[in-house]
Amino acid sequence: MALPTLTPEQRADALAKAAEARKARSELLASIKSGERTIASVLGKAKDDKTIGKTKVAALLKAVPGLGAVKVAALLEQSGIDPDRRAAGLGDRQRAALIDALN
């Protein structure tokens, strides 16, 4: 299936929307790194907030101070979560298992 041909205005709108989404995602990750937000509160809002919902769980966990790629991979495997899973796609049991593993 071919991509639709966009007019220059549509392309500019799409680029602006993408830039806005990247900025919102980076602000979210920065707030987790600084400790303003906890993973439990962020995952609780994943279904309602598009920015959180479309962010990969691995990226959210890597933003937590003290968690690197190896620990994040182990946490995801222990909780039964695919590394490419996005936050909105987590089930209740997966979310609870992840939060329990972090506490």
Side-chain angles (χ1 to χ4, degrees):
M1 182 173 170
L3 293 175
T5 305
L6 300 178
T7 65
E9 295 84 21
Q10 290 173 323
R11 182 170 165 74
D13 289 344
L15 288 171
K17 186 177 176 183
E20 187 178 315
R22 282 192 304 274
K23 182 179 178 198
R25 224 178 345 271
S26 70
E27 288 173 356
L28 168 68
L29 296 176
S31 70
I32 293 171
K33 271 185 185 167
S34 68
E36 291 176 37
R37 298 174 108 177
T38 64
I39 285 293
S41 68
V42 169
L43 290 178
K45 296 178 185 175
K47 298 277 187 198
D48 303 323
D49 188 339
K50 277 186 179 180
T51 303
I52 297 171
K54 290 187 175 185
T55 305
K56 289 188 178 184
V57 176
L60 291 172
L61 291 175
K62 285 179 187 174
V64 175
L67 290 183
V70 174
K71 287 184 182 177
V72 167
L75 271 173
L76 291 175
E77 187 175 329
Q78 174 186 349
S79 302
I81 300 170
D82 188 279
D84 293 329
R85 174 75 64 193
R86 302 205 182 260
L90 289 179
D92 292 334
R93 289 185 184 157
Q94 290 175 322
R95 190 177 304 112
L98 194 57
I99 292 169
D100 287 345
L102 289 172
N103 291 334

